[in-house]
Amino acid sequence: LTPEQQRCVVIFNRLLGNQARIYVTEETLAVIHRIPSRSRSALAAEFLRLEKGKYLKRWARRLQGFGFSAEDARVLSYASFGLDRQAKQLGVEMVITADRKLVERFLQYRPAIARRFHAMTVQLRPPCHDAHLPAIILV
Amino acid sequence: MARSVAKTKELIQQARQLPPREQLALVQSILEEFQQQFERAEPGVQFLDLSRIDMAEEVAQFTAFVQHRGRSLEPDEQFIGGLTEEEYFALTEPERQALWDRLEADATRALARKKEIEVDSSYRPAGQGRRPKALRK
């Protein structure tokens, strides 16, 4: 296994061991569902769908202003405004990514991103008023 | 701790002797310093260190999970993107990335027009009131 694959194995073991809820975006889930059912069954059964909540697109557009690609901005925005409709949960606690560029950009602009996020959410009604930026784990 | 409390009291006494405008500037500078300290202590990003991890045990655990839950594919069975498992793992890393990028782009286009869902008051932010769990064993 490559170091990146090793890290993914470790992360996945930890998440399962902690009985964490593992979310993927609707887009990623759509890709997974294109894998024939017998081969996707082991991992995909552990994934939960995160759907687009209100303000997700707006926050993604603002993140693109910090230089994130459309895809990276969407993933980060899901972390704050994605919805688990069954658990009635807004956003997630952490994003796990192997994308170093995303992490470096997030670290570079984090204080400004936090200020922009606060400026946006402070005007919203609860629970979006209480939405938060995720922690990020780089595998 | 006691020393820092005494030092803080001393600073407060000194600050009280300043004109109100300078008191305000002092408070603002202290708050900014706290904010900077907080941001340094909470960088928001964790890095996974593999050096102290028994990889053989980890891989065994993962393999056991996959074998328990999944099933090996037949050699001619489709894995992803119209490829068999063997064809997929024969791809170079850039080719694999290009395949996933294409699949993701197709899915993004298909879902682009889906409307956002209203977030009513029954929703709660994830982990509200507590810090993210560390990924420990």
Side-chain angles (χ1 to χ4, degrees):
Chain A
L1 296 178
T2 65
E4 190 177 287
Q5 288 169 332
Q6 289 181 21
R7 290 189 183 96
C8 289
V9 164
V10 172
I11 287 278
F12 198 77
N13 286 344
R14 297 290 186 280
L15 292 172
L16 288 178
N18 286 332
Q19 297 181 319
R21 286 200 292 261
I22 307 172
Y23 291 99
V24 292
T25 65
E26 285 187 274
E27 287 80 1
T28 301
L29 203 61
V31 173
I32 291 170
H33 281 166
R34 292 177 67 171
I35 302 173
S37 61
R38 290 198 300 193
S39 56
R40 73 169 189 244
S41 60
L43 301 181
E46 301 299 324
F47 297 148
L48 299 169
R49 179 197 305 266
L50 212 49
E51 298 183 76
K52 289 188 179 81
K54 195 167 183 185
Y55 308 117
L56 186 145
K57 290 178 184 173
R58 183 193 294 184
W59 179 232
R61 281 195 301 274
R62 290 183 182 177
L63 282 169
Q64 284 184 264
F66 290 100
F68 290 102
S69 68
E71 185 190 342
D72 290 350
R74 195 181 63 237
V75 168
L76 288 173
S77 197
Y78 262 109
S80 297
F81 294 106
L83 295 182
D84 177 343
R85 286 209 274 184
Q86 279 201 317
K88 292 287 177 185
Q89 179 179 298
L90 172 66
V92 296
E93 288 183 72
M94 59 177 70
V95 170
I96 299 173
T97 180
D99 189 335
R100 285 188 175 272
K101 279 186 184 169
L102 181 154
V103 170
E104 282 167 9
R105 191 165 293 278
F106 186 79
L107 279 176
Q108 183 183 359
Y109 293 109
R110 187 172 175 270
I113 290 170
R115 282 196 295 275
R116 194 79 199 265
F117 187 75
H118 177 73
M120 177 175 148
T121 54
V122 76
Q123 299 176 46
L124 307 177
R125 290 182 178 179
C128 292
H129 178 278
D130 304 315
H132 55 71
L133 293 172
I136 296 189
I137 291 186
L138 177 66
V139 295
Chain B
M1 184 66 167
R3 193 174 165 189
S4 64
V5 170
K7 180 73 178 168
T8 305
K9 284 181 178 172
E10 187 187 332
L11 285 171
I12 291 170
Q13 285 299 329
Q14 289 174 5
R16 279 183 177 147
Q17 293 165 19
L18 296 171
R21 189 171 287 181
E22 287 185 37
Q23 284 184 19
L24 184 62
L26 181 64
V27 168
Q28 283 174 338
S29 70
I30 290 171
L31 287 175
E32 281 171 10
E33 176 61 24
F34 275 146
Q35 178 68 21
Q36 286 169 8
Q37 283 186 17
F38 176 78
E39 285 173 0
R40 282 196 293 271
E42 296 275 336
V45 176
Q46 297 177 38
F47 299 91
L48 186 62
D49 178 12
L50 288 180
S51 62
R52 296 180 185 171
I53 291 174
D54 181 348
M55 259 335 285
E57 186 189 323
E58 295 287 344
V59 171
Q61 188 179 332
F62 183 75
T63 305
F65 168 80
V66 172
Q67 285 176 346
H68 175 67
R69 297 288 294 271
R71 182 187 70 71
S72 297
L73 292 178
E74 299 299 330
D76 60 346
E77 205 171 343
Q78 196 196 96
F79 177 54
I80 190 165
L83 304 174
T84 65
E85 204 170 15
E86 187 181 352
E87 288 167 339
Y88 174 79
F89 285 105
L91 296 177
T92 62
E93 188 55 41
E95 287 171 335
R96 257 184 239 178
Q97 189 59 51
L99 172 63
W100 282 101
D101 286 348
R102 180 171 58 80
L103 293 171
E104 184 95 11
D106 289 348
T108 302
R109 268 194 301 277
L111 288 163
R113 289 183 184 175
K114 189 172 175 186
K115 286 188 176 176
E116 293 177 337
I117 300 163
E118 283 292 330
V119 188
D120 64 48
S121 60
S122 64
Y123 282 88
R124 292 285 174 271
Q128 193 176 52
R130 61 192 168 89
R131 291 160 63 100
K133 288 177 189 172
L135 284 178
R136 59 185 177 276
K137 212 168 183 181

